[in-house]
Amino acid sequence: MSVVRQDPDLIDAFNELEAKVFCLIEEKKQLHKRLLVLEKAAKDHGVKVGNHEATGDTCIIV
């Protein structure tokens, strides 16, 4: 980190990148919460929700 401390441009770039990462983390948390709500609503309406793994060139429509 000593190189970053010596270069103000690197400090600014690092701080900007760090802020963007924190924004992405918060966005992921919000999307995960929304997904849980949508999955619960789907289950309440009879839709099977879970891991539907496809093998090879298989297409699964749920």
Side-chain angles (χ1 to χ4, degrees):
M1 286 300 279
S2 63
V3 174
V4 173
R5 289 186 201 140
Q6 294 172 1
D7 189 354
D9 292 334
L10 278 177
I11 291 172
D12 292 341
F14 180 80
N15 288 337
E16 183 179 345
L17 178 62
E18 185 180 37
K20 288 179 180 181
V21 168
F22 286 139
C23 287
L24 284 172
I25 290 170
E26 288 302 315
E27 186 71 24
K28 182 206 169 277
K29 287 179 185 177
Q30 290 176 358
L31 287 172
H32 183 69
K33 287 179 184 177
R34 292 176 70 184
L35 177 64
L36 292 176
V37 170
L38 289 172
E39 284 180 347
K40 184 180 181 309
K43 285 179 185 177
D44 291 345
H45 287 88
V47 177
K48 292 171 58 177
V49 178
N51 289 339
H52 301 286
E53 295 184 17
T55 57
D57 292 333
T58 306
C59 178
I60 297 176
I61 299 174
V62 180

